[in-house]
PDB file of all heavy atoms in Angstrom:
ATOM      1  N   PRO A 246      -3.034  -0.074   7.834  1.00 89.00           N
ATOM      2  CA  PRO A 246      -3.853   1.088   7.972  1.00 89.00           C
ATOM      3  C   PRO A 246      -3.321   2.237   7.120  1.00 89.00           C
ATOM      4  O   PRO A 246      -2.267   2.291   6.775  1.00 89.00           O
ATOM      5  CB  PRO A 246      -3.870   1.356   9.488  1.00 89.00           C
ATOM      6  CG  PRO A 246      -2.510   0.765   9.870  1.00 89.00           C
ATOM      7  CD  PRO A 246      -2.292  -0.454   8.996  1.00 89.00           C
ATOM      8  N   PRO A 247      -4.208   3.261   6.922  1.00 91.00           N
ATOM      9  CA  PRO A 247      -3.738   4.482   6.169  1.00 91.00           C
ATOM     10  C   PRO A 247      -2.652   5.193   7.045  1.00 91.00           C
ATOM     11  O   PRO A 247      -2.658   5.140   8.296  1.00 91.00           O
ATOM     12  CB  PRO A 247      -5.013   5.382   6.044  1.00 91.00           C
ATOM     13  CG  PRO A 247      -5.958   4.825   7.143  1.00 91.00           C
ATOM     14  CD  PRO A 247      -5.589   3.387   7.257  1.00 91.00           C
ATOM     15  N   ALA A 248      -1.724   5.874   6.412  1.00 92.00           N
ATOM     16  CA  ALA A 248      -0.655   6.516   7.041  1.00 92.00           C
ATOM     17  C   ALA A 248      -1.173   7.787   7.737  1.00 92.00           C
ATOM     18  O   ALA A 248      -0.513   8.197   8.696  1.00 92.00           O
ATOM     19  CB  ALA A 248       0.521   6.877   6.004  1.00 92.00           C
ATOM     20  N   ARG A 249      -2.128   8.470   7.212  1.00 93.00           N
ATOM     21  CA  ARG A 249      -2.720   9.651   7.782  1.00 93.00           C
ATOM     22  C   ARG A 249      -4.213   9.617   7.814  1.00 93.00           C
ATOM     23  O   ARG A 249      -4.821   9.192   6.817  1.00 93.00           O
ATOM     24  CB  ARG A 249      -2.203  10.864   6.979  1.00 93.00           C
ATOM     25  CG  ARG A 249      -0.744  11.188   7.158  1.00 93.00           C
ATOM     26  CD  ARG A 249      -0.365  12.456   6.295  1.00 93.00           C
ATOM     27  NE  ARG A 249       1.010  12.712   6.338  1.00 93.00           N
ATOM     28  CZ  ARG A 249       1.518  13.468   7.326  1.00 93.00           C
ATOM     29  NH1 ARG A 249       0.816  13.996   8.276  1.00 93.00           N
ATOM     30  NH2 ARG A 249       2.891  13.743   7.315  1.00 93.00           N
ATOM     31  N   ILE A 250      -4.783  10.100   8.940  1.00 91.00           N
ATOM     32  CA  ILE A 250      -6.158  10.286   9.115  1.00 91.00           C
ATOM     33  C   ILE A 250      -6.347  11.600   9.747  1.00 91.00           C
ATOM     34  O   ILE A 250      -6.129  11.783  10.906  1.00 91.00           O
ATOM     35  CB  ILE A 250      -6.981   9.180   9.804  1.00 91.00           C
ATOM     36  CG1 ILE A 250      -6.768   7.887   9.129  1.00 91.00           C
ATOM     37  CG2 ILE A 250      -8.439   9.504   9.964  1.00 91.00           C
ATOM     38  CD1 ILE A 250      -7.465   6.721   9.845  1.00 91.00           C
ATOM     39  N   GLY A 251      -6.755  12.671   8.990  1.00 82.00           N
ATOM     40  CA  GLY A 251      -6.954  13.896   9.549  1.00 82.00           C
ATOM     41  C   GLY A 251      -5.604  14.426  10.126  1.00 82.00           C
ATOM     42  O   GLY A 251      -4.594  14.489   9.463  1.00 82.00           O
ATOM     43  N   GLY A 252      -5.596  14.805  11.415  1.00 86.00           N
ATOM     44  CA  GLY A 252      -4.385  15.290  12.026  1.00 86.00           C
ATOM     45  C   GLY A 252      -3.606  14.216  12.804  1.00 86.00           C
ATOM     46  O   GLY A 252      -2.756  14.484  13.605  1.00 86.00           O
ATOM     47  N   LEU A 253      -3.884  12.994  12.371  1.00 93.00           N
ATOM     48  CA  LEU A 253      -3.106  11.808  12.999  1.00 93.00           C
ATOM     49  C   LEU A 253      -2.263  11.137  12.007  1.00 93.00           C
ATOM     50  O   LEU A 253      -2.562  10.953  10.817  1.00 93.00           O
ATOM     51  CB  LEU A 253      -4.148  10.811  13.439  1.00 93.00           C
ATOM     52  CG  LEU A 253      -5.168  11.238  14.476  1.00 93.00           C
ATOM     53  CD1 LEU A 253      -6.122  10.243  14.859  1.00 93.00           C
ATOM     54  CD2 LEU A 253      -4.514  11.747  15.768  1.00 93.00           C
ATOM     55  N   ARG A 254      -1.097  10.726  12.424  1.00 94.00           N
ATOM     56  CA  ARG A 254      -0.080   9.982  11.623  1.00 94.00           C
ATOM     57  C   ARG A 254      -0.125   8.569  12.267  1.00 94.00           C
ATOM     58  O   ARG A 254       0.016   8.454  13.506  1.00 94.00           O
ATOM     59  CB  ARG A 254       1.225  10.580  11.630  1.00 94.00           C
ATOM     60  CG  ARG A 254       1.248  11.979  10.974  1.00 94.00           C
ATOM     61  CD  ARG A 254       2.652  12.555  11.015  1.00 94.00           C
ATOM     62  NE  ARG A 254       3.558  11.744  10.237  1.00 94.00           N
ATOM     63  CZ  ARG A 254       4.941  11.990  10.151  1.00 94.00           C
ATOM     64  NH1 ARG A 254       5.391  13.064  10.935  1.00 94.00           N
ATOM     65  NH2 ARG A 254       5.700  11.290   9.435  1.00 94.00           N
TER      66      ARG A 254
END
Side-chain angles (χ1 to χ4, degrees):
R249 291 181 181 270
I250 299 180
L253 302 175
R254 298 178 65 184

